[in-house]
Structures are given as structure tokens and as C-alpha cells.
Amino acid sequence: MEWRHAAERGAPHEAEEPPVRVCEHPECEREADHRAPRAPDDLRSYRWFCLDHVRDYNRSWNFFAGWSQNDIERFQRDDMTGHRPTWPFCNGPGGRRREELEEAFRIFARDWLGGDDGQNGHRRPGGHPLSEARLEALALFDLTPPFDLDALKRRYKTLVKRHHPDANGGSRESEELLKHINQAYNYLKKECS
């Protein structure tokens, strides 16, 4: 095969430039580089504006115009899950009972942490019995042994901030979970000292 210089082969065809968009604002002839959605119910088709006019358009845009307060709140709640359906943990499409899930978790935790599950007083190589309370505390804190007191405290602070009843609208469930977090923290803190 014979190699030739690019100039000898001929220059590649120049691509045609796409047509220039003109700003859709009345009496504006500038180039439109910025897109904006046409309407709240049609977010995938756009209007094109120059920079100054897209700023004006965005300032006047109100996605929730004409919505009631309840509709806005419902939309915001649904937006947390990407508007996908949700259901309580144990009542999902599989319909598994809570006891089945807890047993599956115990088996997983035992295999994941290694050693015996704490029955008959057996101990794992770290020397701590794998009691059900310890497994639950480790699972709640999402920690794997060995860990130090600093790691435990960091995780505790994160969980308290996330599940504090004041941060969750005074939820009773959050209050109960916070009690379990405090119990698990006290249990695991003894292990670190």
C-alpha cells in the first residue's frame, strides 16, 4: 500500500454549518444559544432565546402555576423517589413476611461476619460473641469489626442527624429508631473500651 500525504489525497469535504437559530423573543435578531422548556406539561420541547431573553424567561417561569398547595406538596414528596411507586419494606410485591426477612438477615450477617452466630457461647476469632444484640447493633450502624471508637462516634452522629424525630416531623417511627440507635451505640461503645 502506498502512503500519501493528506494534501496529496485531497482535503476532506467541509461539513455544512447548521442553520443559526434566532431568538424567539419579539423584535430580537440575536443568535439563540439557550433553550427553555415550552410549558410545565411539555418539558421536552423547547423555545430558543439569546442569553438576555432566556434570563427574563426563566425569571418569569413558574412550574407550579395554577397548582394547589396539596398538589405541590404531593409532587415534592413523589419527587424524592423519582415519581416511582413505593411500599413499606415488608409489604412489597414479593409479600415476604418480616420474620422471613429477619431470618435471612441473621444468616447473611453470620456469614458476612464469619464464625458462629453466638449460640452455645461460641466466639468468633475477634473474641466477641456474635449475639443477636451485637449483630443487630452492627447492622444498624453498618459497621464491620474491627472498628475504633472514633469510627463508631462518626457513624452514631450521622445516624442521629438522619433519624432524629425533629428532622422527621416528629415521627413516632423516628423516635423509636433513635432509641434503638442509642441502645446499639451504648452496646458497641463498651466493646471499644
Side-chain angles (χ1 to χ4, degrees):
M1 175 178 228
E2 183 180 326
W3 294 96
R4 294 187 297 176
H5 191 269
E8 295 174 7
R9 289 190 302 239
H13 298 292
E14 290 185 23
E16 293 181 22
E17 291 186 25
V20 176
R21 285 191 187 97
V22 178
C23 181
E24 291 184 33
H25 192 272
E27 301 176 11
C28 182
E29 298 295 324
R30 288 186 279 183
E31 188 174 340
D33 293 330
H34 306 282
R35 67 183 188 180
R38 289 197 177 276
D41 58 344
D42 187 15
L43 296 175
R44 298 207 187 268
S45 64
Y46 304 101
R47 298 182 66 188
W48 291 88
F49 296 103
C50 64
L51 181 60
D52 292 333
H53 291 124
V54 80
R55 287 177 178 161
D56 292 339
Y57 185 83
N58 286 339
R59 265 190 234 111
S60 66
W61 175 267
N62 184 358
F63 181 83
F64 297 110
W67 291 38
S68 71
Q69 186 64 30
N70 288 338
D71 290 339
I72 293 171
E73 289 172 1
R74 187 179 312 112
F75 181 88
Q76 290 173 334
R77 268 193 313 274
D78 291 346
D79 195 42
M80 295 176 106
T81 60
H83 301 281
R84 292 183 302 267
T86 61
W87 48 84
F89 176 65
C90 293
N91 299 328
R96 297 182 71 178
R97 291 190 350 246
R98 183 177 189 88
E99 297 81 26
E100 293 173 358
L101 293 171
E102 287 175 351
E103 181 59 27
F105 175 75
R106 277 192 208 92
I107 292 168
F108 170 75
R110 181 186 66 222
D111 294 343
W112 181 55
L113 295 172
D116 196 324
D117 64 359
Q119 295 175 359
N120 303 322
H122 290 95
R123 294 178 178 264
R124 62 184 294 259
H128 297 285
L130 287 175
S131 66
E132 187 170 330
R134 184 166 187 268
L135 286 175
E136 288 176 4
L138 288 171
L140 184 60
F141 274 71
D142 194 24
L143 289 173
T144 56
F147 54 87
D148 60 357
L149 188 57
D150 290 334
L152 179 63
K153 284 181 180 179
R154 279 193 306 273
R155 187 68 183 136
Y156 174 71
K157 288 178 183 178
T158 302
L159 290 171
V160 167
K161 285 180 185 177
R162 184 179 305 147
H163 299 292
H164 197 280
D166 291 345
N168 292 293
S171 167
R172 278 280 193 212
E173 294 155 358
S174 294
E175 188 177 331
E176 289 301 315
L177 183 56
L178 188 60
K179 288 178 185 177
H180 291 295
I181 290 169
N182 288 329
Q183 290 172 348
Y185 175 70
N186 289 329
Y187 183 87
L188 294 172
K189 189 168 61 170
K190 292 174 190 173
E191 184 178 309
C192 292
S193 45

